[in-house]
């Protein structure tokens, strides 16, 4: 079980390496951080290109050739790989590893028309929204933040990236005073709407998930569910809620259940 858990921690990078092999590309995984991920993926034969943009361009061109041979028509693999590489060409430490989630969503629910995503630093929603808007542009992307740490919502209202005076929420995994300058432009371009939820709405969502769905969600993982149950985001028949993470303190969970 421990070996499986460790493997799952790096599934995004192994997944990209596997795609490269399937596409007859160079066995390369482009990743800037953290160091321990580099070492483990290297053990699997991964090659880190870092700032060697010339090699990235060559790899991108090779991917385009594979896409032209029909890989996009089969599983969208070629286009997905292009999305990841184009992101990394823009910023070497961009969290492009989130991009494969978009392909998995399309494989499991081809008719998806809306995806509700929690926002913290912005890496998750950036990767998903960028890929989805290229693979299926009609899908609506909605980001959710706690009212006590709604930096990207405030930034959208101000028309520029801002820094909050203070921030606090039980969704501690997404609490931050400011956003990432290199992710902000992508969020503004590809995320259709950003909504906020209150602490009470978060607690109700945690309780709902635990009692009726038998899921233990941490505060950040309950953001998408809270947005729907509170009416902040209209639910459609083909809506996907990203609820990932169960690292919640026992006392916080108990208070939510008793509330």
């Amino acid at each position: 079980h421990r070996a499986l858990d460790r493997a799952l921690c790096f599934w995004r990078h192994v997944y990209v390496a596997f795609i490269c092999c399937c596409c007859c590309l160079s066995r390369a995984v482009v990743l800037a951080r953290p160091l321990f991920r580099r070492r483990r993926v290297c053990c699997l034969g991964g090659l880190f290109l870092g700032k060697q943009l010339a090699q990235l361009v060559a790899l991108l061109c090779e991917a385009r050739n594979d896409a032209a041979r029909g890989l996009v028509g089969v599983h969208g693999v070629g286009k997905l790989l292009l999305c990841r590489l184009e992101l990394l060409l823009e910023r070497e430490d961009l969290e492009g590893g989130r991009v494969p989630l978009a392909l998995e969503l399309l494989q499991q629910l081809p008719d998806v028309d809306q995806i509700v995503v929690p926002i913290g630093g912005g890496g998750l929603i950036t990767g998903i929204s960028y890929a989805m808007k290229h693979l299926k542009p009609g899908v609506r992307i909605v980001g959710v933040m706690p009212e006590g740490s709604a930096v990207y919502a405030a930034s959208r209202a101000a028309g520029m990236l801002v820094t909050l005076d203070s921030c606090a929420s039980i969704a501690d995994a997404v609490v931050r005073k400011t956003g990432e300058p290199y992710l902000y432009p992508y969020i503004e371009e590809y995320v259709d709407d950003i909504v906020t939820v209150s602490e009470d709405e978060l607690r109700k969502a945690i309780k709902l998930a635990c009692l009726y769905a038998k899921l233990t969600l941490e505060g950040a993982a309950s953001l998408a569910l809270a947005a729907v149950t509170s009416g902040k985001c209209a639910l459609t028949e083909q809506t996907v809620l990203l609820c990932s993470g169960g690292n919640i303190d026992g006392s916080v969970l108990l208070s939510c259940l008793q509330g």
Side-chain angles (χ1 to χ4, degrees), residues 160-238:
M160 59 182 290
L161 187 61
V162 301
T163 299
L164 304 176
D165 294 330
S166 60
C167 56
S169 174
I170 61 171
D172 52 359
V174 298
V175 170
R176 57 193 301 122
K177 286 187 176 181
T178 190
E180 297 291 350
Y182 67 95
L183 295 179
Y184 174 68
Y186 290 100
I187 292 175
E188 286 300 289
E189 182 175 357
Y190 296 112
V191 178
D192 297 292
D193 193 16
I194 300 176
V195 300
T196 61
V197 294
S198 67
E199 294 300 288
D200 186 53
E201 290 165 344
L202 276 174
R203 292 178 181 276
K204 289 180 178 178
I206 292 173
K207 180 178 180 179
L208 177 68
C210 188
L211 294 182
Y212 298 101
K214 308 306 178 187
L215 292 175
T216 302
L217 300 181
E218 62 183 75
S222 65
L223 283 168
L225 180 59
V228 171
T229 56
S230 65
K232 304 289 181 64
C233 176
L235 186 65
T236 68
E237 292 184 359
Q238 304 298 331

Side-chain angles (χ1 to χ4, degrees), residues 32-103:
R33 55 187 172 93
L35 181 60
F36 73 93
R37 289 188 180 178
R38 293 185 181 185
R39 291 172 177 170
R40 295 197 181 184
V41 177
C42 278
C43 291
L44 299 175
L47 170 65
F48 292 93
L49 303 182
K51 295 182 179 179
Q52 299 176 26
L53 295 184
Q55 291 183 357
L56 275 176
V57 172
L59 188 61
L60 180 59
C61 291
E62 193 172 351
R64 291 187 189 278
N65 293 333
D66 285 337
R69 291 202 297 269
L71 287 176
V72 172
V74 179
H75 293 296
V77 171
K79 188 177 291 187
L80 170 70
L81 189 57
L82 293 182
C83 288
R84 177 180 172 83
L85 289 177
E86 285 168 359
L87 277 173
L88 291 167
L89 280 170
E90 292 288 339
R91 177 82 179 195
E92 68 165 356
D93 57 350
L94 186 61
E95 293 290 350
R98 271 69 172 187
V99 171
L101 286 174
L103 179 61

